[in-house]
Amino acid sequence: MKATATAHPNIALVKYWGKRDEALILPHQSSLSLTLAPLSITTTVEWGQEEDQVELNGKAAEGGERRRVVELLSRVREEAGRPLGGARMVSRGDFPASAGLASSAAAFAALALASRAAAGLPRDVRAESVLARRGSGSACRSIQGGVCVWRRGERADGEDSYAEQAFAASHWPELRMFVALLSRAEKEVGSRDGMRGSVETSPYYPAWAQDAEAEIPRALAALERRDIASLGELAERNAWRMHATALAANPPLCYLLPGTLEVIQRVRHARGQGLKAYFTLDAGPNPVVLTTADALEDAERVVREAGAVEIVRCHVGGDATVQVHV
Ligand code: 2P0
């Protein structure tokens, strides 16, 4: 009745930006991501309690945070088909919010894995990915490692909208990513509201969704060839297109800071001189640089000179893991 799971966050190269069903968390378009090791979140779930207890990084969760966890636990209670009681859930991340990466992907992936395993449900990557998705969309891409593709799916019940591994981490061991941290401030508009604003008011939204879907096979082809230039260029234009969509919303959503453009310009300039480094941007100001091991030091120097206050190094990580306690 007790299990512990560990999952990594992920960074999308073809971004998820917009829901066609907010309750089920179904996207308008497919997305593709790299698993970010060594960052991880470890979560233990133990069923058989009087009531649900949710502890995140040493503190009892409250409000919306607690509600999202309890909703996921209740889905496992339904699926188990036998009384499980309440769950004691304890979760801890080894990367602070100041790493500039959303923790919800790793958090809900670890929770989905641990809660199902502790309930005695057999491992099932697809069911785990669907369950994680219901907690936070991008979490469905953190069940497996390497490169994962979250397919949009066609069904109204969302059962065909889950992520699958396209390449294992071992496919391209030289690939590197790092976060160029510019700001630790909470963003004013979270992803959930930002997406909704973009879907409902941005005139560019249909073009965004159509273009992102079409980029998936091109991203897979570049990954297959281990072609950093094609993959990097694709990641950059996809990030710009997501931000263009958000900027065109009403009210407009600008997640960028002046320092973001400074990093981007310096990376582009260094590339003109032969450095193999590219960037992507989530719904925040901190660029994530995509490069290869041989170019890592030079890329980091460029980004530090551009004003990054901290660099968080990552490599492509493996599958989320789970252990049942006996
Ligand atoms: C992504 N983002 O593909 C995109 C790129 C942010 C920018 O997925 O509402 O926390 O919980 O499904 O997954 C962040 O949004 O949103 C995200 P919900 P989520 O990684």
Side-chain angles (χ1 to χ4, degrees), residues 29 40 56 75 90 98 111 124 193 201 209 214 230 288-289 319:
Q29 30 81 218
S40 68
L56 305 177
R75 290 191 186 101
V90 177
S98 66
L111 174 61
D124 176 339
D193 291 338
T201 69
S230 296
V288 177
V289 174
D319 294 348

Side-chain angles (χ1 to χ4, degrees), residues 10-19 22 25-26 29-33 68 102-105 108 132-141 150 187 190-193 195-196 208 238 242-243 255 280-284:
N10 65 74
I11 178 77
L13 302 183
V14 179
K15 313 276 179 194
Y16 147 54
W17 194 248
K19 298 174 181 63
E22 295 213 342
I25 307 196
L26 295 175
Q29 30 81 218
S30 304
S31 55
L32 177 147
S33 60
R68 279 169 77 177
S103 57
S104 68
F108 281 100
R133 190 203 79 217
R134 301 285 307 267
S136 186
S138 54
C140 77
R141 301 187 310 239
W150 173 14
K187 54 192 169 204
S191 290
R192 207 160 263 204
D193 291 338
M195 282 183 207
R196 185 184 303 120
W208 153 262
N238 181 262
M242 184 194 100
H243 282 269
Y255 289 106
T280 181
L281 287 165
D282 267 355

Side-chain angles (χ1 to χ4, degrees), residues 42-119:
T42 296
T43 299
T44 297
V45 172
E46 183 171 14
W47 294 105
Q49 314 296 313
E50 294 226 330
E51 58 176 17
D52 292 332
Q53 304 158 46
V54 180
E55 186 187 304
L56 305 177
N57 292 320
K59 278 194 232 140
E62 290 169 14
E65 238 177 12
R66 179 187 153 84
R67 193 179 63 246
R68 279 169 77 177
V69 170
V70 168
E71 280 173 8
L72 192 146
L73 292 168
S74 293
R75 290 191 186 101
V76 177
R77 274 187 277 265
E78 273 171 40
E79 193 188 341
R82 65 188 173 94
L84 293 174
R88 173 166 161 71
M89 180 274 209
V90 177
S91 182
R92 190 167 284 280
D94 68 2
F95 62 105
S98 66
L101 291 160
S103 57
S104 68
F108 281 100
L111 174 61
L113 223 57
S115 56
R116 289 184 90 259

Side-chain angles (χ1 to χ4, degrees), residues 139-163:
C140 77
R141 301 187 310 239
S142 276
I143 298 292
Q144 290 182 289
V147 178
C148 289
V149 176
W150 173 14
R151 297 280 173 202
R152 173 190 190 278
E154 297 303 326
R155 286 172 53 157
D157 66 2
E159 290 301 305
D160 61 350
S161 187
Y162 54 92

